[in-house]
Amino acid sequence: MRPAAHPTTPLAEKPVDVGLVPSPMDRAAGHALLAELAGARTQSNTLGPLDDLAPGFADWIVTALFGGTYQRPGLALRDRQVANLAALTALGGVEPQLADHVRNSLRIGLTRTEITEILVHLAPYVGVPKALAGLRVAAATFSETETEAETESDGAGASGFDTEGAAV
């Protein structure tokens, strides 16, 4: 058996180097990972409407990306999220996806400081305007997660985030 693509404890644990292997196409693993990254509510609010608009596309994304590429053993989930933040910031024009990945990064334990430093670090590589755009998305997402945490705290008694914005 090959090792898990991303260890569950701790998420930043370095994966075992087994060399390069083909990506699996595991729909169930894709849905489980997406639920871990984005949460069940985000998953259902995103996949259903996308499937209504473009039937089969949501299933392809979940199976090929989250059940395939993400399941490869060569990188920890944390490292994949750092790469996602960098790629989406460099690409530009994909603010909703970047915001989702900022939220996902917080959920798996990256701090606001780490996310901010990743985006600042990109400036000489992708250009200051794209780094600034990424920082604006991150700042708005940090504010949204604070508001959501406060709302949950008022209703459920626990915010789900520590003072650095990391999921607890």
Side-chain angles (χ1 to χ4, degrees):
M1 280 183 72
R2 68 181 187 82
H6 56 87
T8 55
T9 309
L11 286 171
E13 181 179 311
K14 191 170 184 172
V16 176
D17 185 355
V18 295
L20 296 176
V21 298
S23 296
M25 292 296 173
D26 187 333
R27 180 177 287 112
H31 279 284
L33 178 59
L34 186 57
E36 177 185 345
L37 280 172
R41 183 180 69 192
T42 299
Q43 185 177 9
S44 65
N45 290 345
T46 303
L47 297 182
L50 180 57
D51 201 50
D52 291 344
L53 178 64
F57 190 51
D59 184 60
W60 177 82
I61 291 170
V62 170
T63 303
L65 180 59
F66 296 101
T69 305
Y70 268 86
Q71 300 300 320
R72 295 173 60 89
L75 290 175
L77 185 55
R78 174 184 172 76
D79 299 333
R80 292 182 190 282
Q81 281 306 116
V82 170
N84 292 340
L85 293 171
L88 292 170
T89 301
L91 186 59
V94 291
E95 288 77 9
Q97 292 79 14
L98 180 56
D100 286 344
H101 281 281
V102 169
R103 270 189 291 283
N104 295 349
S105 296
L106 291 169
R107 286 179 66 91
I108 66 162
L110 271 78
T111 66
R112 292 172 180 208
T113 300
E114 290 171 316
I115 292 167
T116 301
E117 285 299 325
I118 290 164
L119 300 174
V120 168
H121 181 76
L122 292 173
Y125 298 98
V126 304
V128 172
K130 285 187 177 180
L132 288 172
L135 288 165
R136 279 192 298 276
V137 169
T141 305
F142 295 157
S143 292
E144 289 170 16
T145 59
E146 277 181 9
T147 302
E148 290 168 4
E150 289 169 5
T151 301
E152 288 176 15
S153 179
D154 291 345
S159 71
F161 293 93
D162 67 14
T163 58
E164 286 291 310
V168 291

